[in-house]
Amino acid sequence: MIRATRTFAAEIDAALARLDLPALEREYWAQDEFLFIPRFLPPVAVGALLDDVKRLEPGLNRNYIPRHKKGGSVSHYAIADEGPGLLAFYRSERFRRFLSRLVRADLKLCPDDDPHACALYFYTEPGDHMGHHYDTSYYRGARYTVLVGLVQDSSSRLQCRLHTRTPGRDPVELAVATEPGSLVIFNGDKVYHGVSPSQEGERRVVYTMEYVTSQEMGRMQRLYSNLKDAVAYFGIRALLRGRVRARDLQARVQAES
Ligand SMILES: [Fe+2]
């Protein structure tokens, strides 16, 4: 596990070293805090993440909320247990430094007990989709979303509307095929987005990572966020089990320090 984590962190470092950061920074801001990097990870690195997906997929939670979303999700808790490459990507300090520079904010990981800190989404049955929404932060600061394409054998697309809140500008519509190894980065309050429905026999898998400027959350926001995670994403049982595990882990770390 430790070796897999180190190897994957090295893949991220190498991918970052290949980027033209000043050019990407200009593009991100010109698109009102949205960026698409088509081939961020090489196939070998995607392969390592797909090994994690294979291990985690049998435990996914499927949900259906009429007119809003349908699909499968795997939570941060399960990824922390059985997805070493995925977790190493989320926790990579160099990746977080790159993001912080890009978005001009000091980004932090979400707390360990947030099931949404990083997650896998599966659009693998006919009609799987996600209604349009903003990734509004329940934390006190801003929230940034990173999507990593893993499987795109599908006509389903990430649909984004940029410049929705830029005075005097018409919105720009994009339909993005999140091919394996591609990266999407955006400010959750600025990009109105959804996922178009998949058809019979199609398969689309994306990895999502959430970064925030504050790890603090108000009590009402916490309540609403928990409810949403249980109903719309990961299922109540998985969340309770995960929270107990996160608490145990925290207690163990405190006892050992
Ligand atoms: Fe979203």
Side-chain angles (χ1 to χ4, degrees):
M1 183 93 145
I2 289 172
R3 217 179 67 186
T5 305
R6 281 206 194 116
T7 311
F8 202 80
E11 288 286 355
I12 299 294
D13 293 353
L16 289 171
R18 287 190 287 269
L19 299 179
D20 177 352
L21 192 49
L24 294 176
E25 220 176 323
R26 281 193 296 277
E27 199 181 340
Y28 174 82
W29 287 95
Q31 298 187 116
D32 196 25
E33 298 205 54
F34 173 90
L35 184 63
F36 176 56
I37 308 178
R39 281 170 296 276
F40 176 69
L41 286 181
V44 61
V46 176
L49 298 181
L50 289 174
D51 287 344
D52 288 357
V53 170
K54 204 184 287 173
R55 220 172 295 121
L56 289 159
E57 188 168 358
L60 67 75
N61 184 67
R62 286 201 67 84
N63 45 64
Y64 173 45
I65 300 174
R67 288 197 294 272
H68 178 56
K69 77 187 284 277
K70 175 166 130 38
S73 324
V74 163
S75 77
H76 171 214
Y77 302 146
I79 289 168
D81 275 354
E82 289 190 284
L86 295 166
L87 194 70
F89 194 166
Y90 181 55
R91 293 196 172 161
S92 161
E93 273 205 44
R94 284 201 51 192
F95 185 70
R96 194 150 45 93
R97 275 208 300 274
F98 152 72
L99 283 181
S100 295
R101 176 169 163 194
L102 185 75
V103 309
R104 299 173 189 160
D106 182 17
L107 296 187
K108 298 165 176 61
L109 300 176
C110 292
D112 273 349
D113 64 353
D114 185 335
H116 233 117
C118 56
L120 286 168
Y121 294 153
F122 294 81
Y123 302 87
T124 48
E125 292 190 0
D128 281 357
H129 73 285
M130 173 84 77
H132 277 71
H133 62 282
Y134 288 99
D135 283 352
T136 309
S137 180
Y138 295 105
Y139 293 94
R140 293 197 199 279
R143 167 186 168 179
Y144 296 83
T145 299
V146 177
L147 300 173
V148 186
L150 295 177
V151 179
Q152 177 67 59
D153 298 330
S154 177
S155 57
S156 166
R157 295 285 181 271
L158 171 71
Q159 298 176 319
C160 299
R161 193 175 299 157
L162 316 183
H163 297 286
T164 57
R165 291 166 172 172
T166 314
R169 265 205 78 146
D170 287 336
V172 173
E173 305 275 354
L174 293 179
V176 183
T178 46
E179 298 291 347
S182 65
L183 205 66
V184 177
I185 301 166
F186 60 86
N187 180 331
D189 280 329
K190 294 212 169 165
V191 177
Y192 192 60
H193 62 283
V195 174
S196 61
S198 51
Q199 311 295 318
E200 178 78 47
E202 293 186 335
R203 181 171 165 79
R204 177 171 181 270
V205 182
V206 292
Y207 180 44
T208 172
M209 304 188 285
E210 185 180 326
Y211 296 87
V212 289
T213 56
S214 162
Q215 296 179 323
E216 302 289 312
M217 200 186 272
R219 269 186 62 195
M220 285 314 287
Q221 282 87 348
R222 167 70 66 192
L223 199 70
Y224 184 70
S225 171
N226 288 349
L227 203 69
K228 199 183 76 163
D229 284 338
V231 175
Y233 289 93
F234 309 116
I236 290 168
R237 232 168 354 154
L239 291 190
L240 288 176
R241 212 168 48 222
R243 288 230 157 79
V244 169
R245 210 182 301 142
R247 261 203 307 273
D248 287 351
L249 191 70
Q250 262 168 9
R252 228 180 310 145
V253 169
Q254 275 164 6
E256 284 167 9
S257 62

